[in-house]
Amino acid sequence: MPDYDGLIIGAGHNGLILQAYLGRAGLKTLAVDRRAVAGGGLSTVEDPRYPGFLHNTHAFFQRAITAMPWYEDLELERHGARYIEPEVNVALLTSEGRALEWWTDIARTAASFAQFSQRDAETLQRWQHDFVPIVRDILVPESRRLPLSPEERHALLSKTTEGRRLLEVSALSPLEFVHQEFEHPTVQAGLLFFNGLREVDLRVKGFGHHIAALLASPAKAQMSRGGTAALARALEASVRENGGAVRLMTEPARIIVENGRAAGIETREGERITAGFVVSSLNPTQTFIDLLDEQLVPHEIQEAVHAFQYNLLAPLFALHLNLREPPRYRAAEANPALAQAFMVIMGLDHVDQFLDIVRHHEQGTIPPTVMWGACPTLFDPSQAPAGHHTAFMWEKLPYRLGGDPNNWDGARDAHGREMLKLWTEHAPNLEGAVIDSFTRSPLDVERCLPNMREGDLLVGAFTNDQVGYHRPFRGAGTYRTHIPQLYLCGSSSHPGGNVTGLPGYNAAQVILSDLGMPLARP
Ligand SMILES: Cc1cc2nc3c(=O)[nH]c(=O)nc-3n(C[C@H](O)[C@H](O)[C@H](O)COP(=O)(O)OP(=O)(O)OC[C@H]3O[C@@H](n4cnc5c(N)ncnc54)[C@H](O)[C@@H]3O)c2cc1C
């Protein structure tokens, strides 16, 4: 008898969601993780120099979490999860002191866009309206199930008006879509930035529908009360309630394959843990190259894994602050609603800056700063001592700085000071408000979570041959692998990275269906 029915490698949110569903179905499971804390990118740390100041070092803005099927199925609010969705969801502050605002209410968003271009405000509303049924009836259901092959998908979509519209728009790149539909350079830049947050290469055809889909999505950016890690704690509680175990500081040296089937792992300490099936939430390089004996992986799969592309533009640099008071933006003097803006973007005025940012990433150099972030304690005071605040800014910066990621260790703090300079131009009170600060580079991200290779927080680029049925590689988007009883459940699988939990949710459906068991709902 194996030790467990199922063993999951990596206790990030995808691994935990999968594990909770397996537990609800009555299976005995173990998740192993190399870190001392579960949750992966759901990470909140306390400043060791200033107790009580909490910082979310990876994911912070989470889209539509409360609308995800697993959020309700796993009863996460009963386990302590709470989400906040601020009304002024995003504000882009221009260098001239204007603001392009994205509210949870589309009419207020359109009113803000109209201050830049009346025509763009009307175009925005038209696309939002047209895409509501496409998001509801096509894109959301597609993200929550096993992907169809491109041929099957095309045939299915061609049958309906909405499907044909989706195919037509997605044939464009986001850059083409925005240039074709909108006229004002700040509006174009703002829309592309909102889209770029999802890390799609703006030049790649096949993603022209992303902006319209974001406009039409009912759920905007949300944050977790108590810090992002509160979601991880709720997931862990759900796992444990259903009999699952999580073993930390445990790293597999290899996946055991016996009689041609996955049968467990051997840890770096030489311990054998056996299981009826194994699920990897790691990236394809870790799963197929590092953890499987070479002779178990056919040549064509090895080649596909070596060709797997990590996202050039995904790596983030972060500046975190402990504050005596929240940033007070100049732009809020004329427009008080901005004092409650959730995601704030600075340094971005014109759409052409994107191409400049891409060029800098390709060359390993630092572009003029475009950054975005938030002051979490404006909405959740529990993340700092009474009367105090935390805030952060992120910037997309290249992993290979000057051709070598190790250069980040020497360059990190100086770059943090540059970011603070720009931030203070927009919020002059920061001058005397900072108690402490620290930075994290793309190299630090990879050191912490090696599945985010090259600092890629999506764990694999969203390019045409790495999405849907072809994520992580051609024809591999089924969560199953070429080895029976070895499955995938992480962000390198459909529908990809960010905190959606859907790779884990979809993998649960596949594994339980292979076992002839239903997905247990409350
Ligand atoms: C700076 C930054 C900001 C981000 N901001 C956002 C955001 O605002 N919104 C959003 O939605 N997403 C954001 N993300 C992305 C998000 O964190 C990831 O896409 C998400 O965490 C991926 O989830 P996962 O479960 O697939 O993998 P992970 O969360 O990375 O979990 C994988 C787990 O596997 C473990 N592991 C890795 N290697 C091994 C090994 N060899 N052996 C055992 N265990 C291993 C890790 O320790 C980890 O716990 C951000 C990421 C970063 C780095």
Side-chain angles (χ1 to χ4, degrees):
M1 276 291 283
D3 302 324
Y4 295 92
D5 295 317
L7 189 148
I8 297 144
I9 306 173
H13 82 293
N14 280 309
L16 292 172
I17 288 167
L18 165 72
Q19 190 182 12
Y21 275 108
L22 297 177
R24 290 181 87 95
L27 298 173
K28 183 182 171 200
T29 59
L30 174 73
V32 295
D33 200 289
R34 63 185 282 282
R35 297 192 67 220
V37 57
L42 300 179
S43 155
T44 306
V45 298
E46 187 168 14
D47 184 336
R49 293 176 294 212
Y50 289 88
F53 285 92
L54 305 185
H55 294 276
N56 301 288
T57 47
H58 296 112
F60 175 72
F61 302 107
Q62 295 162 54
R63 196 163 284 281
I65 290 297
T66 50
M68 292 296 171
W70 48 265
Y71 188 80
E72 197 182 329
D73 285 354
L74 303 178
E75 301 172 274
L76 296 181
E77 296 214 342
R78 185 166 63 76
H79 293 296
R82 288 286 180 285
Y83 272 80
I84 303 164
E85 189 176 286
E87 271 196 306
V88 191
N89 213 240
V90 185
L92 187 164
L93 307 184
T94 72
S95 56
E96 313 153 336
R98 301 175 75 194
L100 182 71
E101 297 148 31
W102 186 325
W103 292 69
T104 47
D105 173 5
I106 186 74
R108 298 182 87 167
T109 306
S112 170
F113 276 54
Q115 289 171 14
F116 290 80
S117 155
Q118 182 58 38
R119 202 191 97 182
D120 284 351
E122 284 158 20
T123 309
L124 178 95
Q125 282 176 299
R126 195 179 67 244
W127 277 104
Q128 190 267 349
H129 176 265
D130 289 0
F131 253 65
V132 166
I134 295 177
V135 168
R136 186 191 56 221
D137 302 335
I138 302 176
L139 294 171
V140 167
E142 275 188 347
S143 68
R144 297 174 180 188
R145 62 171 186 239
L146 203 62
L148 297 175
S149 73
E151 299 73 28
E152 284 174 301
R153 179 175 188 261
H154 193 279
L156 192 68
L157 292 180
S158 302
K159 285 185 188 157
T160 62
T161 313
E162 273 88 19
R164 287 192 294 275
R165 186 89 198 280
L166 174 60
L167 287 172
E168 191 188 304
V169 183
S170 53
L172 301 170
S173 71
L175 213 51
E176 286 168 334
F177 173 81
V178 152
H179 278 294
Q180 190 176 296
E181 296 296 321
F182 295 89
E183 61 178 14
H184 195 286
T186 306
V187 168
Q188 292 174 333
L191 287 172
L192 282 171
F193 197 82
F194 300 149
N195 181 72
L197 293 177
R198 297 174 59 145
E199 325 297 347
V200 169
D201 186 330
L202 305 171
R203 301 162 299 175
V204 177
K205 286 183 188 294
F207 297 97
H209 63 287
H210 268 230
I211 290 170
L214 269 185
L215 292 173
S217 167
K220 308 299 179 207
Q222 303 178 321
M223 64 176 275
S224 164
R225 194 184 295 276
T228 303
L231 178 62
R233 290 193 291 271
L235 284 169
E236 244 191 300
S238 176
V239 164
R240 291 192 199 283
E241 185 178 68
N242 291 296
V246 178
R247 240 174 85 173
L248 300 171
M249 300 177 80
T250 304
E251 194 170 338
R254 67 182 187 98
I255 295 169
I256 300 168
V257 177
E258 279 170 1
N259 303 320
R261 311 169 88 80
I265 60 163
E266 187 179 309
T267 68
R268 284 188 177 251
E269 289 71 37
E271 183 188 357
R272 276 170 64 91
I273 309 175
T274 56
F277 59 89
V278 176
V279 196
S280 171
S281 74
L282 309 187
N283 69 40
T285 319
Q286 292 172 301
T287 306
F288 294 100
I289 306 293
D290 300 346
L291 294 178
L292 282 170
D293 292 342
E294 199 181 339
Q295 70 272 19
L296 294 171
V297 185
H299 185 64
E300 60 277 15
I301 293 183
Q302 291 189 32
E303 278 193 339
V305 173
H306 287 304
F308 186 71
Q309 219 180 307
Y310 294 90
N311 192 331
L312 180 78
L313 285 168
L316 290 187
F317 183 98
L319 168 65
H320 293 268
L321 304 180
N322 294 348
L323 294 171
R324 289 189 183 85
E325 57 186 29
R328 299 198 200 286
Y329 292 102
R330 264 191 228 277
E333 288 164 17
N335 181 355
L338 292 176
Q340 290 297 311
F342 183 36
M343 182 192 299
V344 177
I345 307 169
M346 284 169 271
L348 181 66
D349 287 300
H350 198 283
V351 63
D352 292 347
Q353 286 172 260
F354 278 102
L355 299 175
D356 197 32
I357 291 173
V358 174
R359 207 180 50 249
H360 278 283
H361 273 77
E362 283 164 352
Q363 293 169 353
T365 48
I366 297 185
T369 294
V370 172
M371 61 189 194
W372 76 104
C375 176
T377 43
L378 275 179
F379 311 97
D380 176 13
S382 77
Q383 298 195 34
H388 291 76
H389 289 269
T390 59
F392 69 92
M393 279 290 145
W394 288 332
E395 184 178 355
K396 278 175 189 279
L397 288 178
Y399 170 73
R400 284 187 190 77
L401 181 66
D404 182 353
N406 291 306
N407 287 333
W408 271 121
D409 289 339
R412 213 172 47 186
D413 291 343
H415 188 69
R417 285 193 290 277
E418 285 302 308
M419 288 170 81
L420 185 56
K421 209 164 118 202
L422 174 64
W423 203 348
T424 309
E425 282 168 22
H426 285 272
N429 74 314
L430 287 180
E431 186 76 56
V434 179
I435 298 167
D436 194 22
S437 69
F438 68 93
T439 54
R440 282 172 63 96
S441 73
L443 178 62
D444 296 325
V445 167
E446 185 191 54
R447 281 175 178 146
C448 177
L449 297 170
N451 48 313
M452 295 188 188
R453 199 175 158 106
E454 300 178 14
D456 178 359
L457 54 86
L458 298 172
V459 203
F462 287 141
T463 55
N464 277 334
D465 52 0
Q466 290 184 190
V467 292
Y469 190 72
H470 296 318
R471 190 171 179 91
F473 41 82
R474 283 197 82 74
T478 62
Y479 308 94
R480 303 180 181 98
T481 69
H482 67 287
I483 297 180
Q485 318 300 5
L486 176 62
Y487 295 89
L488 304 177
C489 75
S491 293
S492 302
S493 295
H494 170 75
N498 282 330
V499 179
T500 68
L502 295 173
Y505 174 76
N506 292 344
Q509 298 184 57
V510 168
I511 295 167
L512 290 171
S513 130
D514 284 359
L515 293 168
M517 300 169 90
L519 194 77
R521 293 227 138 87

